[in-house]
Amino acid sequence: MIPHATEIKIFSGNAHKQLAEDVCRAMGIKLGDATVDHFADGEVAVSLYETVRGRDVFLIQPTCKPVNEHLMELLIMIDACSRASAGRITAVIPYFGYARQDRKAKSRDPISAKLVANLISKAGADRVLTMDLHAAQIQGFFDIPVDNLMGAPLFADYILQKFGAEGLKDVMAVSPDVGSVTRTRAFAHRLGIDLAIVDKRRPQANESEVMNIIGKVKGKHVILFDDMIDTAGSLCAAARALVDIGGAKDIYACASHGLLSGKALERIEKSPIKEVALLDTIPYPQDKPMCDKIKYISVAPMFAEAIDRVYEEVSISTLFK
């Protein structure tokens, strides 16, 4: 059993320092003094400039693009804290990379999500705090406790403010594929709205073809709900089908993680989607122009509350009731 540490220390890698600063601001504490740099040959160099001995350490680092770089930063930060005798180390991973490789889809496939879970555990992390894992079973890949925060309450508040309680009768939640039905159903249940499903097939990675719409969306304000937007091909194809085939009035989208790879922003701009709400688990791509359709919702207050509850050793699940 890990003894209760005497003080909270929060450090950040280079993946999303703004989020770490927002979390610290919400908690009323200072972000830990550390640098994550590189040697001349590209190796990651971590330096901690304050003591962590006996402290409850939280390392905030989404493993987003470049995934391998940010994953190595996290592992080395964990190792540094472990060797400096931290009381307890929690890896706070708002976006867990490699989560889509959670099973063998075909012969000789790796299960990379399990490999990454092993690396984090072996590096010395005592627990993991993440948000909206792509597949719930990934929690079982770890041999340490995993708290998986849910973004649905944040999106539910956002939709309620946008349409109002009376306006919800004309709103419908839509799952962009069969795999997202469970999370979309939970979101719809929270708002008390109906659910529809876009049935599609995927000829190859990052390509999809809409086959059918299960449910009546005609004249409705549709909320496409998913856990992530990568190239946005599936999302935009579903949005087009909901308008052209289903007769939806207008389309909104909500997703926890905005990877926004490749031509994602261009596709979103050309799509019938009016607005895309994303959680700020991943920073907006610095090399791309800002898309007016994208709105970010802060997860800092939720992570701040969760970190405080982990430190105080009280229930986190009550956050979502």
Side-chain angles (χ1 to χ4, degrees), residues 140-255:
F141 291 177
F142 289 87
D143 296 323
I144 55 177
V146 177
D147 294 306
N148 184 29
L149 304 182
M150 295 181 291
L154 299 176
F155 286 124
D157 289 344
Y158 163 75
I159 295 300
L160 187 59
Q161 291 174 11
K162 178 172 286 293
F163 293 99
E166 289 296 321
L168 288 180
K169 64 180 182 297
D170 295 321
V171 176
M172 176 173 279
V174 175
S175 173
D177 54 39
V178 175
S180 298
V181 169
T182 300
R183 66 171 57 90
T184 308
R185 182 184 292 118
F187 170 71
H189 178 72
R190 181 176 288 272
L191 286 172
I193 60 179
D194 292 331
L195 170 70
I197 303 168
V198 176
D199 179 31
K200 68 179 182 183
R201 64 181 180 88
R202 190 182 295 275
Q204 58 187 20
N206 293 326
E207 289 188 14
S208 63
E209 178 181 326
V210 174
M211 297 176 67
N212 196 16
I213 298 172
I214 305 170
K216 296 181 179 180
V217 299
K218 188 173 183 179
K220 296 286 188 179
H221 303 289
V222 166
I223 313 296
L224 275 165
F225 191 80
D226 210 349
D227 67 316
M228 69 174 69
I229 299 176
D230 191 358
T231 62
S234 298
L235 183 80
C236 294
R240 178 61 63 188
L242 287 164
V243 172
D244 295 345
I245 301 173
K249 185 175 182 179
D250 46 36
I251 311 290
Y252 296 84
C254 294

Side-chain angles (χ1 to χ4, degrees), residues 1-11 48 50-59 77-90 123-126:
M1 182 177 177
I2 301 168
H4 187 64
T6 57
E7 183 184 348
I8 291 178
K9 290 283 186 179
I10 297 179
F11 296 94
L48 305 179
E50 52 189 86
T51 183
V52 295
R53 184 178 296 272
R55 290 352 188 236
D56 209 342
V57 176
F58 296 83
L59 305 174
M77 289 172 68
I78 293 170
D79 184 72
C81 291
S82 178
R83 295 179 186 279
S85 302
R88 178 170 58 182
I89 303 169
T90 300
D126 296 302

Side-chain angles (χ1 to χ4, degrees), residues 229 232 235-236 260 263-273 276 291 293-294:
I229 299 176
L235 183 80
C236 294
L260 305 177
K263 297 182 179 180
L265 295 175
E266 182 181 339
R267 291 188 177 113
I268 290 171
E269 286 282 12
K270 293 179 179 178
S271 75
I273 300 174
V276 178
C291 175
K293 290 186 177 183
I294 292 178

Side-chain angles (χ1 to χ4, degrees), residues 17 45 55 61 64 68 74 87 100 106 111 126 145 149 188 216 231 267 269 272 281 292 300 302 305 310:
K17 188 160 285 188
R55 290 352 188 236
Q61 177 85 335
C64 52
N68 297 338
L74 176 62
R100 285 172 286 184
K106 61 181 185 298
I111 303 180
D126 296 302
L149 304 182
K216 296 181 179 180
T231 62
R267 291 188 177 113
E269 286 282 12
T281 56
D292 294 335
M302 181 176 284
E305 179 68 19
V310 169

